[in-house]
Amino acid sequence: MISLATVLSGKPIHVTGGIFFYQPTLAEIVEMGEADYWSATNLWTLKRSEMVAEETEQTKNLDDYTLWKAYFFSSQQLRKALIKSSEVLLKSKVEFFDISHTIYIGEKESGVILDETFFLLMRELCSRIMPTSSASEEGQYHETDNMSAREKEMIAKMKSSAQKIEETKNPDRKPEDYLGNRILGLVAVGGYTFEQVYKMTMLQFNMLLQKYIDIQTFELRTSLSPYISSEDGQTNKFWLDW
């Protein structure tokens, strides 16, 4: 299991042989395009349902690795996508050998076959850097029948404040401005310079921004906690433990 601390370091992570996993900086991601970056990452975390419309007796007998490999052998466009992903995340070339049905990563002398161990490690690494969804608003601010009118009023205020925080995190802007506005947000509230932020990996950036949201939510709940007294009311977990 690869630790969060390892991936957060932003340093190249050894995969196998002479192959390392690299995380582009925000500056590099802006240059290539955020959509292309996530596409390169998503390729390694595809679910079975995304690769086959409906499982058949034949596909049911295939493990995740074998199905994933067959998926990329199925079309030239998919092969090109994997080649691009390898350039971005592994800084290596990719070769497809149809006769042996193998995928080769890297140069001939120092490269390696993309076997199941390689695939599973890449899937874990890419899963680590994918954004995670936080608890739903309903779960965070759940109203119950035994709450007083005052408590329900406080819940409404907490929902309203949470919405403002969410708008800071996910500003309603044109898609091409989405990343730029998040960068602005972290510079504005985090005490970082633009230069520092652009040197961050996407994971470092998103985790710092999410932690800011956690702190703001914690402070909001703390300030309102005297008004929320029902046993079924809200718990206020310290932000470092979230």
Side-chain angles (χ1 to χ4, degrees), residues 89-140:
L89 300 176
L90 301 172
K91 299 188 185 300
S92 299
K93 61 183 295 186
V94 178
E95 289 186 83
F96 292 83
F97 295 94
D98 292 286
I99 295 177
S100 60
H101 209 67
T102 57
I103 302 174
Y104 199 80
I105 307 289
E107 300 297 331
K108 293 189 180 299
E109 296 78 14
S110 58
V112 294
I113 291 175
L114 202 170
D115 60 11
E116 185 175 17
T117 301
F118 191 140
F119 163 71
L120 292 175
L121 181 57
M122 285 298 296
R123 184 167 69 175
E124 183 182 351
L125 282 166
C126 289
S127 296
R128 274 293 192 180
I129 66 177
M130 296 292 288
T132 56
S133 57
S134 55
S136 68
E137 182 179 291
E138 180 63 24
Q140 294 182 39

Tab-separated table of all heavy atoms in Angstrom, residues 89-140:
chain	number	residue	atom	x	y	z
A	89	LEU	N	2.775	10.578	-17.354
A	89	LEU	CA	2.950	10.056	-15.993
A	89	LEU	C	4.217	9.225	-15.797
A	89	LEU	O	4.693	9.093	-14.666
A	89	LEU	CB	1.734	9.213	-15.604
A	89	LEU	CG	0.382	9.933	-15.612
A	89	LEU	CD1	-0.743	8.957	-15.300
A	89	LEU	CD2	0.373	11.095	-14.621
A	90	LEU	N	4.746	8.654	-16.869
A	90	LEU	CA	5.924	7.785	-16.751
A	90	LEU	C	7.134	8.319	-17.499
A	90	LEU	O	8.233	7.796	-17.339
A	90	LEU	CB	5.584	6.376	-17.263
A	90	LEU	CG	4.429	5.665	-16.548
A	90	LEU	CD1	4.076	4.370	-17.277
A	90	LEU	CD2	4.782	5.384	-15.094
A	91	LYS	N	6.897	9.365	-18.317
A	91	LYS	CA	7.965	9.922	-19.155
A	91	LYS	C	8.659	8.808	-19.942
A	91	LYS	O	9.891	8.768	-20.069
A	91	LYS	CB	8.969	10.708	-18.310
A	91	LYS	CG	8.362	11.909	-17.582
A	91	LYS	CD	9.421	12.750	-16.921
A	91	LYS	CE	8.817	13.881	-16.090
A	91	LYS	NZ	7.987	14.801	-16.881
A	92	SER	N	7.849	7.884	-20.455
A	92	SER	CA	8.365	6.733	-21.198
A	92	SER	C	7.512	6.485	-22.431
A	92	SER	O	6.350	6.877	-22.482
A	92	SER	CB	8.350	5.467	-20.319
A	92	SER	OG	9.166	5.622	-19.179
A	93	LYS	N	8.095	5.819	-23.398
A	93	LYS	CA	7.363	5.449	-24.607
A	93	LYS	C	6.635	4.129	-24.378
A	93	LYS	O	6.953	3.376	-23.440
A	93	LYS	CB	8.318	5.336	-25.788
A	93	LYS	CG	9.408	4.284	-25.619
A	93	LYS	CD	10.374	4.262	-26.802
A	93	LYS	CE	9.680	3.826	-28.074
A	93	LYS	NZ	10.641	3.655	-29.200
A	94	VAL	N	5.676	3.827	-25.247
A	94	VAL	CA	4.892	2.598	-25.150
A	94	VAL	C	4.922	1.893	-26.493
A	94	VAL	O	4.791	2.523	-27.542
A	94	VAL	CB	3.420	2.892	-24.757
A	94	VAL	CG1	2.615	1.594	-24.724
A	94	VAL	CG2	3.351	3.590	-23.418
A	95	GLU	N	5.090	0.578	-26.451
A	95	GLU	CA	5.019	-0.229	-27.668
A	95	GLU	C	4.010	-1.344	-27.464
A	95	GLU	O	3.956	-1.974	-26.393
A	95	GLU	CB	6.386	-0.822	-28.005
A	95	GLU	CG	7.416	0.185	-28.496
A	95	GLU	CD	8.694	-0.481	-28.954
A	95	GLU	OE1	8.739	-0.946	-30.118
A	95	GLU	OE2	9.632	-0.554	-28.133
A	96	PHE	N	3.195	-1.608	-28.508
A	96	PHE	CA	2.210	-2.680	-28.478
A	96	PHE	C	2.677	-3.801	-29.397
A	96	PHE	O	2.984	-3.558	-30.563
A	96	PHE	CB	0.851	-2.166	-28.946
A	96	PHE	CG	0.209	-1.177	-28.006
A	96	PHE	CD1	0.556	0.172	-28.056
A	96	PHE	CD2	-0.743	-1.592	-27.083
A	96	PHE	CE1	-0.025	1.088	-27.202
A	96	PHE	CE2	-1.334	-0.676	-26.227
A	96	PHE	CZ	-0.976	0.662	-26.279
A	97	PHE	N	2.728	-5.025	-28.862
A	97	PHE	CA	3.128	-6.182	-29.652
A	97	PHE	C	1.917	-7.098	-29.804
A	97	PHE	O	1.519	-7.785	-28.848
A	97	PHE	CB	4.292	-6.917	-28.977
A	97	PHE	CG	5.555	-6.093	-28.910
A	97	PHE	CD1	5.854	-5.339	-27.782
A	97	PHE	CD2	6.429	-6.053	-29.994
A	97	PHE	CE1	7.005	-4.575	-27.717
A	97	PHE	CE2	7.588	-5.283	-29.939
A	97	PHE	CZ	7.879	-4.538	-28.804
A	98	ASP	N	1.329	-7.076	-30.995
A	98	ASP	CA	0.070	-7.791	-31.224
A	98	ASP	C	0.227	-9.306	-31.168
A	98	ASP	O	-0.673	-9.999	-30.677
A	98	ASP	CB	-0.516	-7.380	-32.583
A	98	ASP	CG	-0.982	-5.939	-32.588
A	98	ASP	OD1	-2.031	-5.667	-31.993
A	98	ASP	OD2	-0.288	-5.077	-33.167
A	99	ILE	N	1.341	-9.819	-31.661
A	99	ILE	CA	1.509	-11.274	-31.698
A	99	ILE	C	1.545	-11.854	-30.286
A	99	ILE	O	0.861	-12.837	-29.974
A	99	ILE	CB	2.787	-11.660	-32.476
A	99	ILE	CG1	2.652	-11.250	-33.941
A	99	ILE	CG2	3.047	-13.162	-32.365
A	99	ILE	CD1	3.881	-11.521	-34.787
A	100	SER	N	2.342	-11.237	-29.423
A	100	SER	CA	2.447	-11.727	-28.039
A	100	SER	C	1.406	-11.087	-27.116
A	100	SER	O	1.273	-11.478	-25.956
A	100	SER	CB	3.848	-11.447	-27.486
A	100	SER	OG	4.112	-10.043	-27.510
A	101	HIS	N	0.685	-10.106	-27.650
A	101	HIS	CA	-0.351	-9.390	-26.882
A	101	HIS	C	0.245	-8.807	-25.587
A	101	HIS	O	-0.291	-8.985	-24.492
A	101	HIS	CB	-1.508	-10.340	-26.544
A	101	HIS	CG	-2.819	-9.623	-26.419
A	101	HIS	ND1	-3.457	-9.025	-27.486
A	101	HIS	CD2	-3.615	-9.388	-25.339
A	101	HIS	CE1	-4.586	-8.484	-27.073
A	101	HIS	NE2	-4.713	-8.681	-25.775
A	102	THR	N	1.366	-8.130	-25.760
A	102	THR	CA	2.015	-7.499	-24.612
A	102	THR	C	2.195	-6.006	-24.869
A	102	THR	O	2.240	-5.555	-26.011
A	102	THR	CB	3.401	-8.119	-24.338
A	102	THR	OG1	4.206	-8.004	-25.522
A	102	THR	CG2	3.283	-9.562	-23.927
A	103	ILE	N	2.291	-5.268	-23.768
A	103	ILE	CA	2.547	-3.828	-23.812
A	103	ILE	C	3.901	-3.598	-23.153
A	103	ILE	O	4.150	-4.066	-22.038
A	103	ILE	CB	1.448	-3.041	-23.076
A	103	ILE	CG1	0.081	-3.332	-23.696
A	103	ILE	CG2	1.738	-1.541	-23.122
A	103	ILE	CD1	-1.086	-2.712	-22.927
A	104	TYR	N	4.771	-2.884	-23.858
A	104	TYR	CA	6.135	-2.653	-23.380
A	104	TYR	C	6.304	-1.172	-23.073
A	104	TYR	O	6.005	-0.308	-23.895
A	104	TYR	CB	7.136	-3.091	-24.445
A	104	TYR	CG	8.537	-3.320	-23.935
A	104	TYR	CD1	8.863	-4.505	-23.281
A	104	TYR	CD2	9.528	-2.362	-24.110
A	104	TYR	CE1	10.150	-4.723	-22.812
A	104	TYR	CE2	10.818	-2.579	-23.653
A	104	TYR	CZ	11.125	-3.764	-23.003
A	104	TYR	OH	12.394	-3.984	-22.545
A	105	ILE	N	6.791	-0.879	-21.862
A	105	ILE	CA	6.988	0.500	-21.411
A	105	ILE	C	8.476	0.798	-21.334
A	105	ILE	O	9.235	0.057	-20.711
A	105	ILE	CB	6.357	0.740	-20.021
A	105	ILE	CG1	4.891	0.313	-19.997
A	105	ILE	CG2	6.506	2.202	-19.617
A	105	ILE	CD1	3.957	1.190	-20.770
A	106	GLY	N	8.897	1.900	-21.951
A	106	GLY	CA	10.294	2.306	-21.866
A	106	GLY	C	11.094	1.917	-23.097
A	106	GLY	O	10.578	1.373	-24.064
A	107	GLU	N	12.386	2.220	-23.037
A	107	GLU	CA	13.295	1.863	-24.119
A	107	GLU	C	13.576	0.364	-24.086
A	107	GLU	O	13.446	-0.292	-23.045
A	107	GLU	CB	14.602	2.649	-23.990
A	107	GLU	CG	14.431	4.157	-24.046
A	107	GLU	CD	13.863	4.636	-25.379
A	107	GLU	OE1	14.104	3.949	-26.405
A	107	GLU	OE2	13.183	5.677	-25.390
A	108	LYS	N	14.021	-0.177	-25.202
A	108	LYS	CA	14.162	-1.633	-25.329
A	108	LYS	C	15.073	-2.242	-24.275
A	108	LYS	O	14.761	-3.269	-23.689
A	108	LYS	CB	14.670	-1.982	-26.729
A	108	LYS	CG	13.665	-1.679	-27.822
A	108	LYS	CD	14.116	-2.242	-29.154
A	108	LYS	CE	13.117	-1.943	-30.265
A	108	LYS	NZ	11.801	-2.531	-30.003
A	109	GLU	N	16.207	-1.602	-24.006
A	109	GLU	CA	17.161	-2.191	-23.063
A	109	GLU	C	16.710	-2.039	-21.610
A	109	GLU	O	16.892	-2.941	-20.788
A	109	GLU	CB	18.546	-1.557	-23.221
A	109	GLU	CG	19.210	-1.795	-24.563
A	109	GLU	CD	18.663	-0.904	-25.670
A	109	GLU	OE1	17.952	0.076	-25.335
A	109	GLU	OE2	18.937	-1.191	-26.844
A	110	SER	N	16.151	-0.884	-21.292
A	110	SER	CA	15.813	-0.613	-19.895
A	110	SER	C	14.313	-0.685	-19.608
A	110	SER	O	13.897	-0.492	-18.473
A	110	SER	CB	16.314	0.793	-19.510
A	110	SER	OG	15.735	1.776	-20.361
A	111	GLY	N	13.503	-0.975	-20.643
A	111	GLY	CA	12.059	-1.015	-20.456
A	111	GLY	C	11.578	-2.305	-19.819
A	111	GLY	O	12.360	-3.225	-19.561
A	112	VAL	N	10.276	-2.353	-19.584
A	112	VAL	CA	9.689	-3.532	-18.942
A	112	VAL	C	8.330	-3.826	-19.572
A	112	VAL	O	7.677	-2.953	-20.139
A	112	VAL	CB	9.495	-3.325	-17.419
A	112	VAL	CG1	10.824	-3.183	-16.708
A	112	VAL	CG2	8.612	-2.111	-17.148
A	113	ILE	N	7.898	-5.065	-19.447
A	113	ILE	CA	6.561	-5.449	-19.887
A	113	ILE	C	5.545	-4.952	-18.863
A	113	ILE	O	5.767	-5.036	-17.648
A	113	ILE	CB	6.459	-6.978	-20.038
A	113	ILE	CG1	7.313	-7.451	-21.213
A	113	ILE	CG2	5.015	-7.408	-20.233
A	113	ILE	CD1	7.368	-8.958	-21.370
A	114	LEU	N	4.462	-4.413	-19.346
A	114	LEU	CA	3.406	-3.939	-18.454
A	114	LEU	C	2.612	-5.157	-17.976
A	114	LEU	O	1.611	-5.546	-18.564
A	114	LEU	CB	2.501	-2.947	-19.192
A	114	LEU	CG	1.682	-1.961	-18.357
A	114	LEU	CD1	1.051	-0.903	-19.261
A	114	LEU	CD2	0.623	-2.634	-17.524
A	115	ASP	N	3.102	-5.773	-16.899
A	115	ASP	CA	2.436	-6.960	-16.363
A	115	ASP	C	1.412	-6.571	-15.292
A	115	ASP	O	1.151	-5.384	-15.068
A	115	ASP	CB	3.470	-7.940	-15.794
A	115	ASP	CG	4.309	-7.341	-14.674
A	115	ASP	OD1	3.976	-6.237	-14.171
A	115	ASP	OD2	5.314	-7.967	-14.288
A	116	GLU	N	0.837	-7.544	-14.660
A	116	GLU	CA	-0.235	-7.285	-13.689
A	116	GLU	C	0.260	-6.481	-12.494
A	116	GLU	O	-0.417	-5.575	-12.007
A	116	GLU	CB	-0.852	-8.593	-13.201
A	116	GLU	CG	-2.047	-8.376	-12.277
A	116	GLU	CD	-2.736	-9.663	-11.900
A	116	GLU	OE1	-2.128	-10.755	-12.070
A	116	GLU	OE2	-3.889	-9.601	-11.428
A	117	THR	N	1.472	-6.771	-12.011
A	117	THR	CA	2.024	-6.028	-10.875
A	117	THR	C	2.198	-4.555	-11.222
A	117	THR	O	1.857	-3.674	-10.434
A	117	THR	CB	3.384	-6.629	-10.455
A	117	THR	OG1	3.200	-7.996	-10.095
A	117	THR	CG2	3.955	-5.871	-9.259
A	118	PHE	N	2.721	-4.287	-12.419
A	118	PHE	CA	2.894	-2.925	-12.925
A	118	PHE	C	1.526	-2.227	-12.976
A	118	PHE	O	1.356	-1.106	-12.495
A	118	PHE	CB	3.513	-3.005	-14.320
A	118	PHE	CG	3.999	-1.695	-14.883
A	118	PHE	CD1	5.197	-1.646	-15.600
A	118	PHE	CD2	3.278	-0.524	-14.737
A	118	PHE	CE1	5.654	-0.451	-16.138
A	118	PHE	CE2	3.723	0.682	-15.275
A	118	PHE	CZ	4.902	0.714	-15.979
A	119	PHE	N	0.554	-2.899	-13.579
A	119	PHE	CA	-0.783	-2.332	-13.728
A	119	PHE	C	-1.412	-2.005	-12.377
A	119	PHE	O	-1.972	-0.915	-12.182
A	119	PHE	CB	-1.668	-3.311	-14.504
A	119	PHE	CG	-3.133	-3.026	-14.376
A	119	PHE	CD1	-3.710	-1.921	-14.993
A	119	PHE	CD2	-3.949	-3.861	-13.612
A	119	PHE	CE1	-5.070	-1.657	-14.864
A	119	PHE	CE2	-5.302	-3.605	-13.480
A	119	PHE	CZ	-5.871	-2.496	-14.106
A	120	LEU	N	-1.353	-2.920	-11.433
A	120	LEU	CA	-1.990	-2.711	-10.129
A	120	LEU	C	-1.336	-1.560	-9.372
A	120	LEU	O	-2.025	-0.795	-8.680
A	120	LEU	CB	-1.927	-3.995	-9.299
A	120	LEU	CG	-2.783	-5.163	-9.821
A	120	LEU	CD1	-2.546	-6.418	-8.992
A	120	LEU	CD2	-4.269	-4.789	-9.826
A	121	LEU	N	-0.016	-1.422	-9.503
A	121	LEU	CA	0.675	-0.318	-8.843
A	121	LEU	C	0.256	1.013	-9.472
A	121	LEU	O	-0.006	1.993	-8.770
A	121	LEU	CB	2.180	-0.496	-8.931
A	121	LEU	CG	3.029	0.588	-8.260
A	121	LEU	CD1	2.666	0.724	-6.784
A	121	LEU	CD2	4.516	0.281	-8.401
A	122	MET	N	0.173	1.054	-10.789
A	122	MET	CA	-0.258	2.274	-11.468
A	122	MET	C	-1.703	2.619	-11.106
A	122	MET	O	-2.038	3.793	-10.924
A	122	MET	CB	-0.119	2.105	-12.980
A	122	MET	CG	1.305	2.188	-13.487
A	122	MET	SD	2.070	3.807	-13.162
A	122	MET	CE	1.042	4.889	-14.159
A	123	ARG	N	-2.541	1.619	-11.011
A	123	ARG	CA	-3.937	1.874	-10.630
A	123	ARG	C	-4.020	2.464	-9.223
A	123	ARG	O	-4.788	3.388	-8.974
A	123	ARG	CB	-4.757	0.582	-10.713
A	123	ARG	CG	-6.241	0.810	-10.413
A	123	ARG	CD	-7.097	-0.369	-10.801
A	123	ARG	NE	-6.863	-1.529	-9.958
A	123	ARG	CZ	-7.569	-2.663	-10.041
A	123	ARG	NH1	-8.521	-2.779	-10.967
A	123	ARG	NH2	-7.294	-3.681	-9.255
A	124	GLU	N	-3.196	1.934	-8.315
A	124	GLU	CA	-3.190	2.464	-6.949
A	124	GLU	C	-2.663	3.895	-6.912
A	124	GLU	O	-3.239	4.771	-6.249
A	124	GLU	CB	-2.334	1.580	-6.042
A	124	GLU	CG	-2.345	2.051	-4.594
A	124	GLU	CD	-1.461	1.222	-3.689
A	124	GLU	OE1	-0.954	0.175	-4.143
A	124	GLU	OE2	-1.265	1.631	-2.524
A	125	LEU	N	-1.581	4.158	-7.647
A	125	LEU	CA	-1.002	5.502	-7.669
A	125	LEU	C	-1.988	6.512	-8.249
A	125	LEU	O	-2.187	7.601	-7.693
A	125	LEU	CB	0.286	5.502	-8.487
A	125	LEU	CG	1.529	4.927	-7.793
A	125	LEU	CD1	2.622	4.669	-8.807
A	125	LEU	CD2	2.021	5.864	-6.700
A	126	CYS	N	-2.618	6.153	-9.359
A	126	CYS	CA	-3.553	7.078	-9.990
A	126	CYS	C	-4.810	7.264	-9.151
A	126	CYS	O	-5.400	8.358	-9.129
A	126	CYS	CB	-3.905	6.595	-11.396
A	126	CYS	SG	-2.534	6.761	-12.560
A	127	SER	N	-5.233	6.214	-8.459
A	127	SER	CA	-6.378	6.342	-7.557
A	127	SER	C	-6.064	7.314	-6.432
A	127	SER	O	-6.942	8.043	-5.957
A	127	SER	CB	-6.756	4.976	-6.972
A	127	SER	OG	-7.195	4.102	-7.982
A	128	ARG	N	-4.806	7.319	-6.006
A	128	ARG	CA	-4.368	8.221	-4.942
A	128	ARG	C	-4.483	9.686	-5.344
A	128	ARG	O	-4.792	10.547	-4.516
A	128	ARG	CB	-2.927	7.922	-4.554
A	128	ARG	CG	-2.747	6.833	-3.522
A	128	ARG	CD	-3.299	7.280	-2.201
A	128	ARG	NE	-2.926	6.406	-1.111
A	128	ARG	CZ	-3.308	6.608	0.147
A	128	ARG	NH1	-4.044	7.664	0.452
A	128	ARG	NH2	-2.956	5.792	1.092
A	129	ILE	N	-4.191	9.980	-6.605
A	129	ILE	CA	-4.170	11.384	-7.017
A	129	ILE	C	-5.502	11.841	-7.600
A	129	ILE	O	-5.658	13.013	-7.925
A	129	ILE	CB	-3.034	11.664	-8.026
A	129	ILE	CG1	-3.263	10.935	-9.356
A	129	ILE	CG2	-1.687	11.288	-7.441
A	129	ILE	CD1	-2.202	11.247	-10.395
A	130	MET	N	-6.474	10.917	-7.703
A	130	MET	CA	-7.796	11.317	-8.172
A	130	MET	C	-8.518	12.059	-7.053
A	130	MET	O	-8.376	11.726	-5.878
A	130	MET	CB	-8.614	10.090	-8.572
A	130	MET	CG	-8.046	9.327	-9.750
A	130	MET	SD	-8.149	10.236	-11.287
A	130	MET	CE	-9.905	10.139	-11.579
A	131	PRO	N	-9.307	13.080	-7.382
A	131	PRO	CA	-10.044	13.802	-6.339
A	131	PRO	C	-11.063	12.899	-5.686
A	131	PRO	O	-11.674	12.054	-6.337
A	131	PRO	CB	-10.725	14.944	-7.105
A	131	PRO	CG	-10.790	14.466	-8.517
A	131	PRO	CD	-9.577	13.595	-8.724
A	132	THR	N	-11.232	13.062	-4.378
A	132	THR	CA	-12.219	12.278	-3.644
A	132	THR	C	-13.382	13.161	-3.262
A	132	THR	O	-13.217	14.334	-2.965
A	132	THR	CB	-11.604	11.678	-2.360
A	132	THR	OG1	-11.054	12.734	-1.564
A	132	THR	CG2	-10.500	10.688	-2.717
A	133	SER	N	-14.563	12.581	-3.247
A	133	SER	CA	-15.756	13.354	-2.875
A	133	SER	C	-15.905	13.359	-1.371
A	133	SER	O	-15.730	12.353	-0.700
A	133	SER	CB	-17.001	12.744	-3.521
A	133	SER	OG	-17.133	11.391	-3.152
A	134	SER	N	-16.231	14.516	-0.817
A	134	SER	CA	-16.428	14.637	0.615
A	134	SER	C	-17.828	14.205	0.982
A	134	SER	O	-18.662	13.902	0.137
A	134	SER	CB	-16.203	16.097	1.054
A	134	SER	OG	-17.036	16.943	0.312
A	135	ALA	N	-18.097	14.184	2.259
A	135	ALA	CA	-19.415	13.783	2.737
A	135	ALA	C	-20.487	14.680	2.144
A	135	ALA	O	-20.278	15.858	1.901
A	135	ALA	CB	-19.456	13.852	4.264
A	136	SER	N	-21.657	14.108	1.911
A	136	SER	CA	-22.728	14.882	1.304
A	136	SER	C	-23.240	15.935	2.259
A	136	SER	O	-23.145	15.808	3.481
A	136	SER	CB	-23.885	13.954	0.917
A	136	SER	OG	-24.510	13.433	2.077
A	137	GLU	N	-23.834	16.983	1.686
A	137	GLU	CA	-24.376	18.053	2.509
A	137	GLU	C	-25.463	17.537	3.424
A	137	GLU	O	-25.583	17.934	4.571
A	137	GLU	CB	-24.925	19.148	1.593
A	137	GLU	CG	-25.470	20.348	2.334
A	137	GLU	CD	-25.978	21.409	1.389
A	137	GLU	OE1	-25.164	22.026	0.699
A	137	GLU	OE2	-27.211	21.608	1.336
A	138	GLU	N	-26.276	16.592	2.904
A	138	GLU	CA	-27.354	16.039	3.715
A	138	GLU	C	-26.798	15.333	4.936
A	138	GLU	O	-27.334	15.417	6.030
A	138	GLU	CB	-28.181	15.061	2.869
A	138	GLU	CG	-29.338	14.411	3.625
A	138	GLU	CD	-30.383	15.400	4.095
A	138	GLU	OE1	-30.500	16.477	3.494
A	138	GLU	OE2	-31.067	15.086	5.097
A	139	GLY	N	-25.682	14.619	4.745
A	139	GLY	CA	-25.082	13.913	5.871
A	139	GLY	C	-24.460	14.850	6.878
A	139	GLY	O	-24.439	14.583	8.078
A	140	GLN	N	-23.934	15.990	6.422
A	140	GLN	CA	-23.287	16.929	7.321
A	140	GLN	C	-24.299	17.765	8.106
A	140	GLN	O	-24.066	18.126	9.244
A	140	GLN	CB	-22.387	17.869	6.517
A	140	GLN	CG	-21.208	17.189	5.867
A	140	GLN	CD	-20.344	18.186	5.140
A	140	GLN	OE1	-20.121	19.294	5.604
A	140	GLN	NE2	-19.847	17.809	3.970
